[in-house]
Amino acid sequence: MKRPICSLVLGLFLAGCQGTATSDTTASSARVDSAPKKVPSAGVAKASGDEKASPRDFTAWVEDYRAYAAKQGIDAVTLAAAFDDVRFQPRIVELDRSQPEFSRPVWAYLDTAVSDQRVRQGRAKLDNHRDAAMHAENRYAVPAEILTAIWGVESNYGSYFGHFSTIDALATLGFEGRRQDFARRELLAALKILQNGDIDREHMRGSWAGAMGHTQFLPSSFLSYAVDADGDDRRDIWGSVDDVMASTAYYLEQAGWRAGQPWGVEVTLPDDFDYAQSELSVRHSSDEWRSQGVRARGDAWPSFDEASVIAPAGARGPAFMVGFNFRVIMRYNASTSYALAVAMLAERIAGGDGIQGDWPRDLEPLSRTQIKEMQRRLNALGFSTGGAPDGIVGPNTRGGLREFQRSHGMTPDGFPTHALLDRLRDTEKR
């Protein structure tokens, strides 16, 4: 029986785990279980906005949290190991509050995530750890190349998975972060990991947001999906590649991975393609897409009962028909750019050629402020973006853009550009 997995869009709270490009979801992590019950705030006032937390306030909060954790079954030895030397980390608060003004376009993100060097490293890593990867593939039916690609995208094959103490990070975020309840729940999960003996405090390290190890599991996901594959009675996603591969595969298997199905295929679209259909929420069989003139760039044409067509850079960029396993990858990190990076890195590790279409590299990305302006102007002209401007290009914003483009005789692909923003400005002046 599969355990329920809930993909939580956590916004920039988890941006430290994995940088993502602008897509229909913002930087996010899906490495979490369904939300547990609310953790008490421990009764200590916390700083917010421009206020600064005092060391005394943090110490008092930790003492109250220790008492709460003890009531949840965490023993005194574990609490002492975790909290006797806990440190408030101001840098983590800065990272948590940061809102980058510019997002990398999808092609720039993929240039790094699927670089030739990363492909070469991935092939070498898979060769060096083929037994571990194939054991995980045989047990959970997730291809070794997909597991290796996630490893590569998440931590560059373990060369960097973060240097922050997980306990310090989650205690800091539980005290003064933007998602305090979430951080407190993850902190309790981290304490359970320590108590179980899977790792000690010193070696429990990862991103500023609490994601850990080679493939960046949050503590709650570790408790549910980490696997002891090497038989040493510890689930070690920091030092055992066997455990890393098996844990990652088990997560994807529990998320519903369909054995033998590809993630999707790069396609070409007909000139009259209705780009309103290029959303993950629109699903047709591969035969239906073919009847609309969608064609694979290569020889392979997957047989999908339900598939979506996505065009991450609009009409001028490559397009893809993606199936259920693409969505499973997005359960790991809810970004189409992320899932595309994993899929393409896996293909290239396996010897494929990668993306054949050309990206519109001459287009400069809009800033968050400019996207807000675009949303405001679209709303003012009656092309709804679904709510107040937030600087995030999601399905509603693309829908409003498409309607504006259609009304002005342009290809309605919903892709935001400087030229479109200028057109909106000119339209409002008339």
Side-chain angles (χ1 to χ4, degrees):
M1 181 177 180
K2 297 190 189 311
R3 303 181 187 186
I5 295 180
C6 180
S7 175
L8 301 185
V9 179
L10 302 177
L12 291 171
F13 178 85
L14 290 171
C17 308
Q18 167 61 52
T20 59
T22 300
S23 67
D24 57 325
T25 55
T26 55
S28 57
S29 170
R31 297 174 286 276
V32 266
D33 301 331
S34 54
K37 294 180 180 178
K38 184 176 181 180
V39 177
S41 64
V44 179
K46 295 158 293 293
S48 61
D50 295 329
E51 298 178 49
K52 290 185 178 181
S54 72
R56 182 177 299 177
D57 287 340
F58 180 65
T59 299
W61 183 88
V62 169
E63 288 305 309
D64 279 358
Y65 191 90
R66 285 178 75 149
Y68 161 75
K71 292 179 181 178
Q72 305 305 307
I74 305 301
D75 61 45
V77 173
T78 301
L79 291 172
F83 293 128
D84 281 0
D85 294 316
V86 69
R87 295 289 184 268
F88 179 78
Q89 302 287 344
R91 176 59 178 156
I92 288 176
V93 175
E94 293 174 8
L95 290 167
D96 182 49
R97 292 177 177 174
S98 65
Q99 295 284 339
E101 179 64 5
F102 284 91
S103 294
R104 296 162 70 193
V106 57
W107 52 89
Y109 172 66
L110 292 174
D111 286 347
T112 300
V114 196
S115 66
D116 290 343
Q117 180 180 5
R118 186 163 287 179
V119 172
R120 289 192 297 271
Q121 287 178 318
R123 290 171 180 166
K125 289 291 185 180
L126 182 53
D127 284 344
N128 292 339
H129 299 283
R130 189 167 296 277
D131 287 347
M134 292 309 300
H135 177 77
E137 176 177 328
N138 292 335
R139 185 174 180 182
Y140 301 110
V142 181
E145 291 82 4
I146 290 288
L147 302 177
T148 306
I150 288 177
W151 185 20
V153 174
E154 290 291 345
S155 68
N156 198 22
Y157 310 109
S159 66
Y160 185 80
F161 48 71
H163 63 275
F164 291 99
S165 159
T166 300
I167 298 297
D168 286 356
L170 292 172
T172 296
L173 293 168
F175 174 64
E176 199 181 349
R178 291 185 297 118
R179 292 183 57 87
Q180 292 168 345
D181 286 345
F182 174 83
R184 293 167 193 150
R185 292 192 294 267
E186 292 299 326
L187 179 56
L188 182 63
L191 295 175
K192 291 178 181 179
I193 295 169
L194 292 180
Q195 184 165 276
N196 291 343
D198 287 302
I199 194 74
D200 59 40
R201 188 194 197 284
E202 176 62 25
H203 294 94
M204 182 187 276
R205 293 186 170 271
S207 78
W208 65 264
M212 312 176 302
H214 285 259
T215 51
Q216 296 287 277
F217 272 33
L218 287 168
S220 60
S221 286
F222 180 100
L223 289 177
S224 294
Y225 307 109
V227 174
D228 172 25
D230 59 14
D232 66 352
D233 295 325
R234 294 171 55 242
R235 299 175 293 175
D236 182 6
I237 62 171
W238 298 266
S240 169
V241 175
D242 293 78
D243 292 2
V244 169
M245 290 291 186
S247 300
T248 307
Y250 181 53
Y251 182 96
L252 295 174
E253 187 262 352
Q254 288 292 294
W257 186 271
R258 295 180 180 175
Q261 278 199 10
W263 64 269
V265 65
E266 186 178 357
V267 296
T268 59
L269 305 177
D271 291 340
D272 61 350
F273 182 75
D274 178 8
Y275 282 89
Q277 294 191 92
S278 61
E279 297 286 353
L280 286 170
S281 58
V282 177
R283 305 178 191 182
H284 300 306
S285 70
S286 50
D287 287 342
E288 170 61 23
W289 285 120
R290 188 197 293 269
S291 73
Q292 294 189 38
V294 178
R295 295 289 184 268
R297 276 195 175 269
D299 295 331
W301 181 254
S303 178
F304 292 133
D305 293 333
E306 289 188 335
S308 300
V309 166
I310 58 172
R316 287 186 54 194
F320 308 87
M321 183 178 71
V322 299
F324 185 82
N325 284 342
F326 188 87
R327 300 174 194 277
V328 172
I329 298 171
M330 289 184 66
R331 303 297 290 272
Y332 209 93
N333 184 312
S335 161
T336 53
S337 296
Y338 174 87
L340 190 58
V342 168
M344 297 316 304
L345 182 56
E347 279 202 1
R348 292 201 59 198
I349 288 172
D353 295 328
I355 296 172
Q356 301 302 299
D358 295 324
W359 296 104
R361 295 178 180 273
D362 58 307
L363 298 180
E364 293 293 328
L366 295 177
S367 70
R368 193 179 186 91
T369 298
Q370 289 168 328
I371 292 170
K372 286 182 178 179
E373 179 189 352
M374 176 174 281
Q375 291 168 325
R376 179 181 60 77
R377 291 182 182 277
L378 284 168
N379 288 335
L381 291 168
F383 303 102
S384 175
T385 62
D390 59 6
I392 298 171
V393 180
N396 290 328
T397 297
R398 288 194 293 272
L401 272 176
R402 289 186 188 110
E403 291 304 312
F404 174 78
Q405 290 171 309
R406 189 174 287 111
S407 71
H408 285 73
M410 297 179 280
T411 301
D413 62 358
F415 187 69
T417 64
H418 285 274
L420 264 177
L421 180 57
D422 289 341
R423 188 72 173 265
L424 278 164
R425 290 166 176 162
D426 291 342
T427 301
E428 269 203 308
K429 289 177 183 177
R430 294 172 187 168

